[in-house]
Amino acid sequence: MKLGLQPWAEFETARTQSDLRPLPTLTPFGQVLTDTVTVLANVCAKQRKQREQAARDARERAEALRREREAAEQVRLVQEAARASELQRQRESVEQQRLDDQRAEQERLDRKQTLLAQAQADGIKLGGWIVVNPDDADNDPIRLKLAVRINASRKLVFVDRLGLNRREFIEDQLVEGIVSGKIRVLGSSAEFDDTLSRVVGRIRVGRN
């Protein structure tokens, strides 16, 4: 250590002019350590809060993104359901139109067949022949000839070749039978009688 000597008057003058200043109060090491630890603790707490805030912000962003994705998925599902519903409605409309057209065509054909059957029934004259198919497939078809037509009751009476009363039909029943194929009109009496005569003649010739 170097020591210097100075007269009092000079010392007072230097102190008065602030050329000499007393040393500041020494800070104890414990205080320095405490202050340092406090500063570091504050920095650590601040950084922890920043990290926690950053984590919260990240979670909020992730949650917002998840909600956006869910909302977009919900919108997509709703749009797909709407498209599927529209396609189903269009298919049902097309199918309904097809059924309506088919029903209309069937009704047209039924009307046509009914008109044709009505014309055939109206065209049967006395002596005209029909063939009635039996309900039992084991039985043979029955040939009947129109013997009586009663216009008042619209009844037609048919007999077999022996002239026996076999069947009576209301005109509508006869038409329904023709439409269903259960009854078949053979033609005029003269045409059928000529055909029957030719068949019988061939049979006789064959037997001779």
Side-chain angles (χ1 to χ4, degrees), residues 5 12 20-22 24-26 34 39 60 68 71-72 85 112-113 122 128 134 173-174 178-179 185 200-201 204 208:
L5 298 178
E12 285 293 332
L20 294 175
R21 296 188 303 275
T25 305
L26 297 178
T34 300
V39 171
E60 290 177 357
E68 290 178 359
S85 177
K112 182 178 180 180
Q113 290 180 350
D122 294 340
Q173 295 175 341
L174 183 63
I178 295 173
V179 171
V185 178
V200 172
R204 289 177 179 175
N208 293 333

Side-chain angles (χ1 to χ4, degrees), residues 124-125 127-133 141-147 156-169 174 183-187 192:
I124 300 176
K125 306 300 181 181
W129 291 84
I130 64 172
V131 175
V132 180
N133 295 317
I142 302 173
R143 288 179 173 82
L144 300 174
K145 180 170 63 174
L146 179 62
L156 295 91
V157 181
F158 291 86
V159 297
D160 60 6
R161 285 178 294 179
L162 299 179
L164 300 178
N165 187 352
R166 296 294 302 272
R167 290 289 179 86
E168 294 182 0
F169 292 101
L174 183 63
I183 299 175
R184 182 164 52 92
V185 178
L186 293 181
F192 183 75

Side-chain angles (χ1 to χ4, degrees), residues 34-195:
T34 300
D35 294 343
T36 303
V37 171
T38 301
V39 171
L40 293 177
N42 292 334
V43 172
C44 181
K46 183 177 181 180
Q47 290 179 349
R48 184 175 65 252
K49 290 180 179 179
Q50 290 176 348
R51 288 194 297 271
E52 292 176 352
Q53 183 63 38
R56 286 193 297 270
D57 293 341
R59 286 194 297 271
E60 290 177 357
R61 288 193 298 270
E63 181 65 19
L65 181 60
R66 184 186 64 82
R67 288 194 297 268
E68 290 178 359
R69 289 177 178 175
E70 289 181 353
E73 180 66 15
Q74 187 66 26
V75 171
R76 186 185 66 82
L77 292 177
V78 170
Q79 292 176 348
E80 288 184 354
R83 286 194 296 269
S85 177
E86 178 63 19
L87 289 176
Q88 181 64 23
R89 187 192 65 80
Q90 291 178 358
R91 285 194 293 268
E92 291 177 354
S93 178
V94 171
E95 179 64 16
Q96 185 63 40
Q97 184 63 40
R98 186 187 68 81
L99 292 176
D100 292 342
D101 294 342
Q102 183 178 1
R103 188 180 302 109
E105 179 64 16
Q106 186 62 42
E107 291 176 355
R108 186 186 67 80
L109 293 176
D110 291 342
R111 287 194 300 271
K112 182 178 180 180
Q113 290 180 350
T114 301
L115 291 175
L116 292 176
Q118 185 67 51
Q120 286 182 320
D122 294 340
I124 300 176
K125 306 300 181 181
L126 293 178
W129 291 84
I130 64 172
V131 175
V132 180
N133 295 317
D135 296 331
D136 189 357
D138 295 334
N139 296 328
D140 294 330
I142 302 173
R143 288 179 173 82
L144 300 174
K145 180 170 63 174
L146 179 62
V148 178
R149 179 188 289 269
I150 305 174
N151 294 328
S153 60
R154 302 179 64 193
K155 180 183 296 185
L156 295 91
V157 181
F158 291 86
V159 297
D160 60 6
R161 285 178 294 179
L162 299 179
L164 300 178
N165 187 352
R166 296 294 302 272
R167 290 289 179 86
E168 294 182 0
F169 292 101
I170 302 300
E171 187 175 335
D172 292 341
Q173 295 175 341
L174 183 63
V175 172
E176 291 177 1
I178 295 173
V179 171
S180 63
K182 185 176 180 180
I183 299 175
R184 182 164 52 92
V185 178
L186 293 181
S188 65
S189 59
E191 178 185 353
F192 183 75
D193 290 340
D194 291 343
T195 303

